[in-house]
């Protein structure tokens, strides 16, 4: 297994953060929070860089809201500042972890997605049903509140097996634990 060190500066460099901003904003131009961040873009990016460089970065709170697609789902959205950092981390870590994913996982992956997933299901159904001459079944399911139920300690250990950069691991722990804290606060409010 290959190990990765010295990734922190690749993630937090101003060039990386500006590149992450460009990717992040692509389909969000009309959102108020995105527009507000962009009004002072250079200051916001360099403030984020300074906090990361000085290791004083703290992940902000998530904003919870409901969507209906088609069933109601509770979504937790990080601030624009935090999502820019998420993109910067993704840009560096995705090439490390992408080759380890199973090929038939299509959600949130570059070059994959819903349409490719549907094409793969259709191909599998044709094969198993021998071109619709035999009956076959497919199970469609969803793991309710998946990220809420994932053991975050195990997730962190999986990341730390490949990433041997303590600054990156500390940053990942900060981000992962920020969601747990938000979820716990929200859960206590409803009980």
């Amino acid at each position: 297994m290959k190990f990765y060190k010295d990734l922190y500066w690749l993630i937090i460099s101003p060039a990386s953060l500006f590149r992450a901003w460009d990717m992040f904003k692509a389909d969000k131009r009309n959102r108020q929070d995105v527009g507000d961040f962009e009004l002072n873009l250079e200051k916001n990016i360099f403030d984020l860089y300074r906090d990361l460089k000085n290791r004083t970065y703290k992940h902000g709170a998530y904003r919870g809201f409901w969507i209906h697609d088609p069933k109601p789902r509770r979504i937790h959205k990080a601030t624009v500042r935090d999502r820019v950092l998420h993109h910067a981390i993704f840009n560096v870590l995705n090439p490390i972890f992408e080759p380890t994913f199973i090929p038939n996982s299509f959600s949130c992956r570059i070059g994959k997605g819903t349409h490719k997933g549907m094409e793969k299901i259709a191909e599998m159904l044709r094969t198993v049903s021998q071109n619709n001459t035999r009956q076959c079944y497919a199970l469609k399911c969803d793991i309710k509140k998946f990220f809420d139920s994932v053991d975050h300690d195990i997730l962190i250990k999986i990341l730390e097996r490949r990433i041997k950069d303590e600054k990156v691991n500390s940053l990942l722990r900060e981000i992962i634990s920020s969601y747990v804290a938000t979820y716990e606060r929200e859960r206590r409010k409803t009980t």
Side-chain angles (χ1 to χ4, degrees):
M1 177 185 314
K2 187 171 179 180
F3 302 111
Y4 296 86
K5 301 176 182 179
D6 302 321
L7 300 174
Y8 191 70
W9 300 106
L10 290 175
I11 292 170
I12 74 156
S13 74
S16 174
L17 295 173
F18 278 108
R19 200 169 29 258
W21 163 256
D22 286 339
M23 291 177 63
F24 166 75
K25 73 173 181 183
D27 61 347
K28 298 170 182 68
R29 282 265 184 202
N30 298 326
R31 304 254 169 90
Q32 181 69 43
D33 57 345
V34 175
D36 292 344
F37 189 89
E38 190 168 34
L39 279 175
N40 295 304
L41 179 61
E42 284 187 17
K43 179 185 181 321
N44 289 328
I45 293 291
F46 281 106
D47 285 349
L48 175 57
Y49 168 70
R50 201 169 302 107
D51 288 348
L52 291 162
K53 179 182 169 207
N54 296 333
R55 311 241 356 242
T56 57
Y57 169 81
K58 294 291 178 208
H59 197 284
Y62 292 79
R63 184 176 68 81
F65 59 95
W66 290 93
I67 64 167
H68 302 275
D69 72 340
K71 65 181 184 184
R73 287 192 314 138
R74 185 80 172 150
I75 302 295
H76 296 91
K77 180 170 117 175
T79 66
V80 171
R81 178 181 201 252
D82 294 325
R83 288 183 285 159
V84 168
L85 176 58
H86 298 173
H87 277 268
I89 292 168
F90 175 84
N91 291 341
V92 172
L93 298 188
N94 186 57
I96 294 168
F97 288 99
E98 178 68 29
T100 68
F101 299 154
I102 63 170
N104 291 337
S105 173
F106 291 89
S107 181
C108 300
R109 292 178 68 191
I110 295 172
K112 300 270 187 166
T114 305
H115 296 295
K116 296 267 186 188
M118 293 300 293
E119 290 169 8
K120 185 63 178 177
I121 288 172
E123 176 190 317
M124 291 169 141
L125 289 173
R126 274 192 305 278
T127 301
V128 171
S129 71
Q130 297 178 350
N131 287 326
N132 296 318
T133 60
R134 298 177 67 198
Q135 192 172 28
C136 69
Y137 299 93
L139 173 65
K140 179 187 181 290
C141 59
D142 188 16
I143 300 172
K144 184 178 180 179
K145 296 186 178 184
F146 174 75
F147 197 73
D148 300 345
S149 64
V150 167
D151 185 318
H152 292 183
D153 291 332
I154 292 172
L155 174 59
I156 289 167
K157 285 177 184 159
I158 290 169
L159 295 168
E160 289 175 345
R161 272 195 302 234
R162 299 289 297 276
I163 307 302
K164 300 300 181 188
D165 182 328
E166 182 46 42
K167 290 178 184 171
V168 172
N169 289 329
S170 178
L171 183 58
L172 294 172
R173 285 191 297 273
E174 168 66 25
I175 293 169
I176 292 167
S177 68
S178 73
Y179 181 79
V180 172
T182 297
Y183 175 70
E184 285 301 317
R185 268 194 310 276
E186 197 168 275
R187 190 179 62 75
R188 281 192 297 270
K189 284 182 192 175
T190 60
T191 56

